[in-house]
Structures are given as C-alpha cells and as structure tokens.
Amino acid sequence: MIAVITGDIINSQHADTEVWITKLKDLLENWGNAPQVWEIYRGDEFQFKCNIDDVFWHFLAIKSLIKSQENLDVRIAIGIGEESFSSEKITESNGSAYVNSGRLLNDLKSDGDTVSIKTSNDAIDRDLNILLKWASKDFDNWTMATAEIIHEMIMNQDYTQEDLAKKFTISQSSISQRLKRANYELIVETNHYFKKKISEL
C-alpha cells in the first residue's frame, strides 16, 4: 500500500505564484523526484506519493509551509491504497490510492473542508476524519509565525528550542510559547495515532 496526497492551493490567485511554488517544489524535492514521485499541474494543484507511515507528517509539512505564506491555505486529500500501475509521471499512475485521493479532492472542494482521508476501511476513515476535522479547527487558524515554527520542527526534528530561537532571532521563551499555542506535543501524539490506525489496514 501507498499514500497519495492530492492537493490544491487556496487563494493562489491572490498570491505571488513564484514564491509559493518555489517553496513547494523545494519541499517536495526532499521526498523524491519529479514527475515520478510528485508533480505540480494546472497552476495550483499537486500530487505526491509516499510511504503510508509518513503521510500525516508530510501533510503537516505541506500545510505549515503554505500557511506560512500570506493569505494562503491548502486543501489536501489523502488516499491510501494500492498502486496498480506506476508511470514515469505520477499523474499517469493508477490504483486505488490515486482514485481515493483524486475523488476526495473534488469532495473537499464542494464541502468546504481542508483535509480528508479515504482508505479501504470505512471504520478507520470515520475515526481519522473526525480527528482531522477537529485538528483542522487549529491548523486552519495558524498564524504565519506559528506555521513557520511548526514547519521547522517537522523538517528538523532534532532541533532544540534554542536552535529555533537562533534561527528566528527571538527568545527561547517566545519559541516555547508558540509551540504551546500550536499544541505541538499534541500534534506529535496525533502523528503516532495516525500511524497506528493506518497500520491496522
């Protein structure tokens, strides 16, 4: 089984495309090569495949990166399933993971949510989607500063608060306060729970 993330940028028409698209490409390149592992297409849509264990962390890395740009957000559809056909271009690959993710993005556009997951198990989908809806109440309201801190912690998990204070040239106590406001410890727990539930598939 694999995970496929299909997403689109919210409010992309009101932002400098060169800035966010360069940052998104740089992020996705950390995880694999385009266009086989990821691709940006139709201006503001993208698709990316990864290991199922990493999917929540990757979702958060993308979410926090985009939220750290002014007035931007992202819709993300997570599909878990098989890859029955692997092409040199991810957008031409196929299987239940791709179908689940692609159809789900269309549903997200119509129902107004910013993240959802579809697997082969309705009970697991129900549990994880309730969790994602609650979590999104927080994630969708991140300030740019909070999103920046979360992104750094996700991408550099060995960073200490002192490392972050130096990077952002603010006090360590300010970093601590931001991480508390962002419920970072709860985010880490949620990632562990996500992995456990998906391992039951």
Side-chain angles (χ1 to χ4, degrees), residues 34-131:
Q36 190 168 25
V37 175
W38 63 269
E39 193 168 3
I40 298 172
Y41 56 96
R42 286 204 297 221
D44 64 356
E45 295 191 9
F46 60 92
Q47 194 163 61
F48 160 64
K49 68 177 177 179
C50 65
N51 186 298
I52 59 172
D53 277 351
D54 300 326
V55 70
F56 182 76
W57 221 228
H58 285 330
F59 148 64
L60 270 187
I62 296 168
K63 178 80 172 182
S64 56
L65 177 78
I66 299 301
K67 287 288 288 181
S68 67
Q69 313 304 305
E70 193 169 7
N71 298 323
L72 288 184
D73 204 342
V74 61
R75 250 183 302 263
I76 286 185
I78 302 168
I80 307 288
E82 305 296 330
E83 181 179 53
S84 56
F85 174 70
S86 178
S87 171
E88 290 183 3
K89 292 182 70 174
I90 186 173
T91 49
E92 294 173 0
S93 295
N94 210 340
S96 57
Y98 295 93
V99 173
N100 287 341
S101 183
R103 287 179 179 167
L104 196 54
L105 184 63
N106 291 330
D107 294 343
L108 283 175
K109 288 177 181 178
S110 60
D111 67 21
D113 289 330
T114 54
V115 62
S116 191
I117 187 168
K118 176 82 176 95
T119 73
S120 58
N121 185 305
D122 290 344
I124 288 176
D125 289 355
R126 186 177 60 249
D127 290 351
L128 291 180
N129 279 313
I130 288 172
L131 180 72

Side-chain angles (χ1 to χ4, degrees), residues 23-32 48 54 56-65 147-159 164 167 184:
K23 289 178 180 290
L24 182 57
K25 283 180 177 178
D26 288 345
L27 175 63
L28 294 172
E29 279 172 1
N30 286 311
W31 303 327
F48 160 64
D54 300 326
F56 182 76
W57 221 228
H58 285 330
F59 148 64
L60 270 187
I62 296 168
K63 178 80 172 182
S64 56
L65 177 78
E148 274 187 329
I149 294 286
I150 293 295
H151 188 72
E152 286 299 323
M153 288 296 284
I154 288 168
M155 299 306 294
N156 303 285
Q157 291 172 60
D158 55 343
Y159 268 22
L164 287 173
K167 183 174 179 69
Y184 182 71

